[in-house]
Amino acid sequence: MESSCIFCKIIAKEIPSTIIKENQSALAIRDIHPKAPTHYLIMPKMHIQSIFHMQDDHQMLVGQVISLARDIAIETEIAGFNLIANNGVSAGQSVMHMHFHFLAGANIYEHGLQL
Ligand code: DGP
């Protein structure tokens, strides 16, 4: 736990959030400023700043983050979803605790972005 990290405080239940689902290593909450009809944040419970800071022995942990996204998609019968991680301020990261934006219910490619 990083005492100055807002997501660590959410994980510790010191700050309220709407919890969607969790597993041993990961937590999914509703984004406070949703950008899609379904917008969740899926994060490791351990404080890792971003993918830049991921070490090889975090691979299982990050796998469990992605597994949580899969479980939510299957259990809620979502037809499709995007999983996006902003890494670094220049890529739009504002909360320095690794997280994936789980987006569903709208096509994120309707405004020019092409991947
Ligand atoms: P990013 O910009 O990729 O670091 O995304 C951070 C996201 O976190 C942004 O979509 C808003 C969300 N967020 C920030 N503070 C809180 C909070 O206190 N609670 C919740 N549920 N979401 C938050």
Side-chain angles (χ1 to χ4, degrees), residues 7 9-10 15 20 24 36 50-51 57 64 69-70 73 82 87 97 99 103:
F7 284 178
K9 289 179 182 166
I10 286 174
I15 292 177
I20 304 301
Q24 193 184 344
S50 75
I51 292 174
D57 63 0
Q64 289 187 323
R70 174 205 60 197
N82 302 96
N87 294 279
H97 181 124
H99 55 280
L103 301 162

Side-chain angles (χ1 to χ4, degrees), residues 12-26:
K13 313 271 194 313
E14 291 173 10
I15 292 177
S17 68
T18 303
I19 295 175
I20 304 301
K21 191 175 176 69
E22 61 186 310
N23 63 26
Q24 193 184 344
S25 305

Side-chain angles (χ1 to χ4, degrees), residues 6-7 10 15 17 29-33 35 39 41 86 92-95 99 101:
I6 193 162
F7 284 178
I10 286 174
I15 292 177
S17 68
I29 62 170
R30 193 177 299 280
D31 193 292
I32 204 166
H33 299 306
K35 303 292 193 309
H39 187 173
L41 300 170
N86 299 328
Q93 186 176 7
S94 61
V95 178
H99 55 280
H101 295 262

